[in-house]
Amino acid sequence: MTQAPIALDTVARAAADPDREQPWADLGLKDDEYARIREILGRRPTSAELAMYSVMWSEHCSYKSSKVHLKQFGESMTDQMREPLMVGMGENAGVVDVGQGYAVTFKIESHNHPSYVEPYQGAATGIGGIVRDILAMGARPVAVMDPLRFGPLDAEDTHRVLPGIVAGVGGYGNCLGLPNIGGEAVFDETYLGNPLVNALCVGVMRHEELHLANASGLGNQVILYGARTGGDGIGGVSVLASETFDADGPAKRPAVQVGDPFMEKLLIECTLELFAEGLVAGIQDLGGAGLSCATSELASAGDGGMHVWLDRVPLRDSSLAPEEILMSESQERMMAVVEPAKVARFLQICAKWDVEATVVGEVTDTDRLVITWHDEVIGDVPPRSVAHDGPTYHRPYARPDWQDPLQADRAEDLPRPTSGADLRATLLRLVASPNLCDKSWITDQYDRYVRSNTVLAQPENAGIVRIDEETGLGVAVSTDCNGRFAKLDPYAGAQLALAEAHRNVAATGGRPLAVSDCLNFGSPEDPAVMWQFAEATRGLADGCVELGIPVTGGNVSLYNQTGETAILPTPVVAVLGVVDDVARRTPSGFPAPGLELLLLGATREELSGSEWAHVVHGHLGGLPPRVDLAAERALAAFLVEGGGSGLLAAAHDLSDGGLAQALVESALRHDVGVEVDLADVAGGDAFVALFAESAARAVVAVRPDEADAVRDLAARHGVPLTRIGATVADPVLTVEGEFSAPLSEIRDAWSATLPAALG
Amino acid sequence: MRIGVVTFPGSLDDVDAARAVRLAGGEPVALWHGDHDLQGVDAVVLPGGFSYGDYLRCGAISRFSPVMTEVVAGAERGLPVLGICNGFQILCESHLLPGALIRNNHRRFVCRDQRLRIENASTAWTSDYEEGQEVTIVLKNGEGSFVADADTLDRLEGEGRVVARYLGEDPNGSLRAIAGITNEAGNVVGLMPHPEHAVEDLCGPGTDGLGFFTSVLQRVLV
């Protein structure tokens, strides 16, 4: 939107002047898409209609490249998976029944491109957007998480984006009063220029408080409330989310939204009070595509049409053209449908919270979304055609010819440490590497305590929040993805991400219940990337069936690439589990000396895609660890039952960095030493035992008098169990016959990396 | 005993403060920033958060809330008032306490479990502690660096009005590692760390913070 229209473009004018040239290409539409719009309307669109279609038919809003693949999540769902689902995919967020009359809604979304352009505001509004999605379901937001990915830690641009992104996540989330209970911070060169900012929010409500987005009821009033509409974020969706960054391109800063978390906090409290008084017939948050999205989605989900008086929208900048008002992505806005008799009370509650609220429309029975500007009709469209009938692409995809050579180049063939001293040095080098080091430089910038229900937060396996103080009911959430595994085999990589999140939730004692996913990939116009996407979604859908947990919603972010270089395929998977009594949760830190250490699961010589190969050899090749979801299920059942019955003093999942990293993290937590003998692991190969990243494994600490009960439990679930040692008072990590290292030395290496790089 | 917890627009730890009051054995009473009414409570907590988005200066707008007229008047009559974090900032802006809280010296928000030493165990809010007792409660702030001119600092020290001090590395650049102070009468206390997040073993670093809330109950009962 560079030039404002000279005269108001109305429906009448569009009919009278059918051949006017329109900037559809600049708005990101393809010629066949523009032709389709003309066909739907039977005339050329007005400029306002063109604006609406262009943002709603963008990749970000319409999922036009991805939806043929995403369908699998619904199609493959079994009745057993559907059982806890109160609301499935397609709404603002999925809702699951967690028992005791409570429902939980959670969803993960990306805000990658805006965060590259303007790290602080991009990340901040990413949190703001996902929180409004949860709020729109009728739930009180209770926690956030932030899986982040950056270029190499020593890269100049990482020093530009990382501090801003972390400050933005913290600045917005902290000011909303939402505890940040976990996330990830992963570094890889493919994310240089394409940082990933994914944000997850969890909300809680009583079953009867569920609200859905629709505009039913002839004569009901449409109220826009929250912040005023300004010029920020105009075209953010179509310009930012659907193009790759071009080094020589124009500056795109104006397309990034600016957030005001204080307004959002008021919006949360105000909205929850509106729900509590039963004043809301339908509700939708304004995020990507702003009013275009909210009006067309509300109208098409209802049973009629809608009339919107666009000139009534309160503006921050009175010079905005109607098209810009429709496209603006100004933050902290909501749209509600309200029965006429309840409007006065609705406005009264908004006034109490100092939230501006304006009736901007009305539900009609015309089946049309009609938009007027000072009594002239500037838009008259079938709402479904904007919101749901966007294009569907069957993008070509093909397994790239580099995949075979990549898989043949195995990390198992790389030179390995040959002595105890080498192993010691390897361990110290790995714990200090960016992906495995202490992340508290980041997580200490987030409030993890607000609301006083945080039972576990980073660096635990999963975050846990209590949702009922009386009964101790709570939920556990973990997000995970190893993009290197997904590069080596996208199908297996997506399943490994799912398995890891599932395992992490179970390790804390949470019974896995549902999945949300954020699928971050390169350009869908590249058949190799599209193949990665197709394989990853197929893997995830199959994996969910095998684990018996449904995908409840999520988000796709494509075009994460600079030039020819795509990011590692990064299907971030969030698993949510139920904890019946949070007092029984299993922490990850070894709490005391004198505990037996037991390794669960089978360790294989699986080093391809591992942190060891990445850090020591800068190598990526081979096949990822074997996926065995039956073993994951058995291990999870063991961990949930063992934790719930109080048998496990501590548990740590094994993933990035293998057993070595798990032992280090659990030992450092309370400065409790560890003595292990790895003779019975991996055929006595201490290197493989310590650094292989075989899946379906965990290490647990148990009291000696309960070790037999734990062995029986493992046998009953068919989980291989190996006693590897014990915790000791002396704060030293000892691997029998190989090496020992004082925890203080390990801690120094582990904790120095981020502060040294970031200040 | 009824302890009021004020909710300003942007207050965040009001529910936490109310829970802490309840766990300590008191009855929490919700007070609204826009009311000229303390509902006859026996003490008041100004909770943490980002009232008015921290716009202009932390606490600078809340200070003019209708309820603050009553809080200031009550404090002058001896009503126990505890300001936590943003509440401390509001107390300073209201001139119930001297000094100011400015941006952390490292320019980042910090959230961590913080060791403190209770320096004055005779205020309305600290009488359940021993002087010199070391406690661990939650610290979380972006603008928590306590500053005052040297004369004021000397006077605070000299009159025993430093209530709590940071132990270990100063987390935010506070002068003389001051974490909390009191007024001359000892009924008004401002504290940058958050005792309301340390009242349950399950959801925080232990229960060291409970003493602030049990202390005031003793005072009120007398």
Side-chain angles (χ1 to χ4, degrees):
Chain A
M1 293 305 293
T2 46
Q3 73 257 27
I6 297 144
L8 188 67
D9 193 22
T10 62
V11 169
R13 196 178 298 266
D17 174 18
D19 300 320
R20 177 196 286 190
E21 238 177 75
Q22 295 189 286
W24 46 269
D26 294 340
L27 290 168
L29 288 165
K30 305 280 190 260
D31 52 0
D32 56 329
E33 293 170 348
Y34 178 66
R36 172 85 186 116
I37 295 166
R38 293 189 68 122
E39 189 188 329
I40 289 169
L41 298 176
R43 57 173 164 79
R44 74 160 173 88
T46 65
S47 55
E49 290 165 341
L50 187 64
M52 293 179 71
Y53 279 106
S54 74
V55 288
M56 288 302 288
W57 286 15
S58 68
E59 188 66 61
H60 180 81
C61 289
S62 74
Y63 295 92
K64 56 190 171 189
S65 300
S66 57
K67 60 187 174 189
V68 294
H69 300 284
L70 300 177
K71 276 196 310 197
Q72 299 170 84
F73 296 136
E75 287 169 357
S76 63
M77 205 179 285
T78 64
D79 286 346
Q80 172 265 322
M81 289 160 76
R82 208 171 274 116
E83 202 179 293
L85 265 188
M86 297 176 66
V87 174
M89 284 175 69
E91 286 288 342
N92 286 306
V95 180
V96 288
D97 180 0
V98 294
Q100 299 179 17
Y102 285 101
V104 165
T105 176
F106 78 123
K107 188 179 176 188
I108 183 167
E109 267 193 359
S110 63
H111 227 218
N112 302 337
H113 294 84
S115 302
Y116 171 71
V117 176
E118 214 300 286
Y120 184 97
Q121 292 297 344
T125 55
I127 295 285
I130 192 67
V131 168
R132 284 193 305 281
D133 269 348
I134 295 304
L135 180 63
M137 301 308 293
R140 173 175 279 284
V142 295
V144 295
M145 297 176 96
D146 63 328
L148 307 176
R149 280 161 178 79
F150 305 103
L153 181 57
D154 55 7
E156 194 183 328
D157 199 52
T158 301
H159 292 233
R160 176 183 72 90
V161 299
L162 187 149
I165 285 171
V166 170
V169 169
Y172 205 99
N174 295 343
C175 195
L176 284 187
L178 292 176
N180 187 312
I181 59 169
E184 299 165 89
V186 178
F187 300 86
D188 186 274
E189 61 183 356
T190 64
Y191 302 120
L192 185 63
N194 293 283
L196 302 187
V197 175
N198 294 178
L200 177 144
C201 182
V202 186
V204 176
M205 68 191 117
R206 301 293 300 172
H207 283 178
E208 59 274 17
E209 292 170 343
L210 179 61
H211 281 78
L212 299 180
N214 64 63
S216 310
L218 181 62
N220 279 353
Q221 301 293 290
V222 178
I223 299 180
L224 178 65
Y225 67 109
R228 293 187 152 223
T229 298
D232 52 334
I234 288 177
V237 165
S238 55
V239 177
L240 281 176
S242 308
E243 285 179 22
T244 50
F245 289 112
D246 176 349
D248 304 324
K252 287 175 174 169
R253 194 176 301 269
V256 176
Q257 312 86 331
V258 177
D260 176 359
F262 170 59
M263 174 54 78
E264 181 125 322
K265 169 66 179 171
L266 299 182
L267 206 54
I268 291 173
E269 299 304 330
C270 175
T271 302
L272 290 172
E273 197 167 323
L274 294 168
F275 285 140
E277 291 206 17
L279 302 174
V280 180
I283 192 161
Q284 175 85 40
D285 68 300
L286 275 73
L291 278 166
S292 298
C293 179
T295 54
S296 64
E297 289 199 347
L298 274 172
S300 58
D303 53 11
M306 187 188 287
H307 186 131
V308 176
W309 291 273
L310 196 62
D311 48 284
R312 294 188 188 174
V313 172
L315 300 180
R316 227 179 279 167
D317 170 0
S318 60
S319 71
L320 288 179
E323 296 83 357
E324 293 173 309
I325 297 168
L326 282 168
M327 293 172 84
S328 166
E329 296 187 356
S330 286
Q331 299 290 292
E332 295 95 23
R333 298 180 298 162
M334 302 282 282
M335 181 168 270
V337 177
V338 182
E339 291 170 25
K342 294 179 173 174
V343 168
R345 180 61 185 151
F346 188 104
L347 298 178
Q348 205 173 20
I349 289 177
C350 290
K352 172 190 162 184
W353 288 101
D354 297 326
V355 170
E356 190 170 10
T358 312
V359 175
V360 298
E362 187 173 299
V363 175
T364 65
D365 57 3
T366 60
D367 291 328
R368 307 286 289 189
L369 171 59
V370 176
I371 295 170
T372 53
W373 178 256
H374 298 291
D375 297 329
E376 295 205 72
V377 179
I378 60 166
D380 183 351
V381 298
R384 277 201 66 83
S385 73
V386 178
H388 298 293
D389 299 340
T392 300
Y393 289 170
H394 294 264
R395 300 257 192 211
Y397 58 90
R399 189 173 194 271
D401 49 19
W402 44 258
Q403 198 73 32
D404 280 337
L406 180 73
Q407 292 185 343
D409 178 20
R410 302 165 66 247
E412 287 76 10
D413 300 333
L414 297 168
R416 306 176 185 189
T418 51
S419 66
D422 282 356
L423 283 174
R424 187 184 195 278
T426 302
L427 180 137
L428 286 168
R429 184 169 171 192
L430 279 175
V431 298
S433 68
N435 288 336
L436 298 180
C437 72
D438 178 19
K439 298 300 191 304
S440 54
W441 189 93
I442 293 171
T443 54
D444 280 359
Q445 296 187 51
Y446 306 149
D447 182 351
R448 62 185 176 276
Y449 285 116
V450 64
R451 303 196 68 74
S452 297
N453 285 312
T454 305
V455 178
L456 295 178
Q458 278 281 63
E460 296 285 346
N461 295 299
I464 291 185
V465 284
R466 176 174 63 185
I467 61 182
D468 189 302
E469 254 181 275
E470 297 297 315
T471 65
L473 182 68
V475 291
V477 190
S478 180
T479 70
D480 291 288
C481 180
N482 184 331
R484 293 192 306 270
F485 291 165
K487 175 83 182 270
L488 298 180
D489 180 344
Y491 181 90
Q495 294 197 334
L496 286 164
L498 171 68
E500 187 182 344
H502 184 265
R503 192 159 66 237
N504 271 319
V505 163
T508 63
R511 182 162 36 82
L513 196 66
V515 173
S516 181
D517 57 0
C518 194
L519 306 173
N520 307 274
F521 287 77
S523 168
E525 293 163 37
D526 177 346
V529 170
M530 214 49 222
W531 174 79
Q532 293 173 332
F533 185 81
E535 284 294 288
T537 47
R538 191 169 66 83
L540 191 55
D542 289 353
C544 285
V545 171
E546 216 167 324
L547 291 176
I549 50 177
V551 174
T552 62
N555 166 248
V556 176
S557 172
L558 301 175
Y559 296 97
N560 293 291
Q561 70 181 69
T562 305
E564 293 296 300
T565 312
I567 58 163
L568 293 175
T570 311
V572 173
V573 178
V575 169
L576 177 137
V578 182
V579 186
D580 293 327
D581 181 0
V582 292
R584 287 292 178 93
R585 86 288 183 207
T586 313
S588 67
F590 298 147
L595 299 168
E596 287 203 15
L597 295 177
L598 308 174
L599 175 64
L600 285 312
T603 304
R604 303 183 198 89
E605 190 185 339
E606 293 176 316
L607 300 162
S608 292
S610 68
E611 282 298 330
W612 170 76
H614 176 66
V615 171
V616 174
H617 294 283
H619 178 273
L620 178 57
L623 287 169
R626 189 194 305 170
V627 180
D628 183 347
L629 295 174
E632 297 286 357
R633 230 179 143 140
L635 176 65
F638 164 87
L639 289 166
V640 172
E641 193 179 334
S645 52
L647 290 174
L648 308 179
H652 199 307
D653 111 288
L654 266 54
S655 50
D656 306 339
L659 176 64
Q661 181 70 13
L663 290 174
V664 163
E665 288 178 0
S666 291
L668 288 181
R669 203 69 204 279
H670 304 291
D671 231 20
V672 169
V674 163
E675 264 180 33
V676 292
D677 183 336
L678 301 175
D680 296 330
V681 181
D685 183 330
F687 168 72
V688 172
L690 286 169
F691 299 109
E693 297 187 9
S694 300
R697 294 187 303 157
V699 63
V700 299
V702 304
R703 295 216 323 257
D705 58 342
E706 288 176 330
D708 284 342
V710 172
R711 276 191 188 83
D712 291 347
L713 185 66
R716 187 146 53 75
H717 287 287
V719 178
L721 180 151
T722 313
R723 185 185 187 282
I724 56 170
T727 59
V728 295
D730 195 16
V732 173
L733 170 72
T734 303
V735 179
E736 209 57 51
E738 298 292 347
F739 68 90
S740 67
L743 293 186
S744 58
E745 188 181 352
I746 298 174
R747 184 185 300 280
D748 287 349
W750 177 68
S751 59
T753 307
L754 290 190
L758 300 167
Chain B
M1 291 296 105
R2 303 170 72 244
I3 313 293
V5 178
V6 178
T7 298
F8 297 95
S11 290
L12 303 176
D13 303 306
D14 44 349
V15 287
D16 310 67
R19 176 189 285 119
V21 166
R22 180 161 47 74
L23 291 173
E27 178 193 340
V29 176
L31 301 178
W32 184 245
H33 71 103
D35 295 339
H36 277 285
D37 186 0
L38 297 183
Q39 300 184 35
V41 295
D42 303 298
V44 170
V45 179
L46 305 181
F50 292 75
S51 62
Y52 290 98
D54 277 355
Y55 296 144
L56 189 56
R57 266 193 326 275
C58 305
I61 302 175
S62 300
R63 175 234 160 147
F64 293 105
S65 290
V67 78
M68 284 307 296
T69 312
E70 315 308 317
V71 170
V72 171
E76 283 164 359
R77 288 195 311 270
L79 181 77
V81 178
L82 173 64
I84 302 168
C85 195
N86 189 223
F88 187 8
Q89 294 161 340
I90 296 168
L91 290 176
C92 290
E93 289 287 339
S94 304
H95 304 296
L96 285 172
L97 293 174
L101 287 313
I102 63 168
R103 194 142 174 76
N104 295 347
N105 57 348
H106 47 73
R107 304 281 171 218
R108 292 190 301 275
F109 187 93
V110 59
C111 173
R112 69 185 210 194
D113 301 346
Q114 177 68 45
R115 280 195 313 129
L116 301 176
R117 187 170 58 233
I118 303 294
E119 302 282 25
N120 177 341
S122 64
T123 76
W125 298 92
T126 52
S127 57
D128 272 0
Y129 295 99
E130 304 289 329
E131 196 175 308
Q133 186 176 341
E134 294 187 4
V135 299
T136 297
I137 64 178
V138 171
L139 176 85
K140 49 170 207 182
N141 63 66
E143 307 196 19
S145 181
F146 181 76
V147 294
D149 60 70
D151 288 349
T152 304
L153 291 171
D154 288 343
R155 191 155 51 81
L156 286 170
E157 301 269 15
E159 295 173 0
R161 288 167 55 194
V162 174
V163 173
R165 222 184 284 271
Y166 299 116
L167 295 175
E169 189 193 353
D170 187 333
N172 49 28
S174 291
L175 296 179
R176 304 192 191 178
I178 289 174
I181 57 172
T182 184
N183 64 349
E184 286 167 10
N187 63 312
V188 178
V189 169
L191 190 68
M192 191 37 62
H194 291 255
E196 78 282 15
H197 292 322
V199 294
E200 283 184 276
D201 280 322
L202 196 59
C203 299
T207 57
D208 283 356
L210 203 55
F212 284 87
F213 302 94
T214 54
S215 295
V216 76
L217 294 180
Q218 312 272 356
R219 169 66 63 106
V220 169
L221 282 166
V222 170

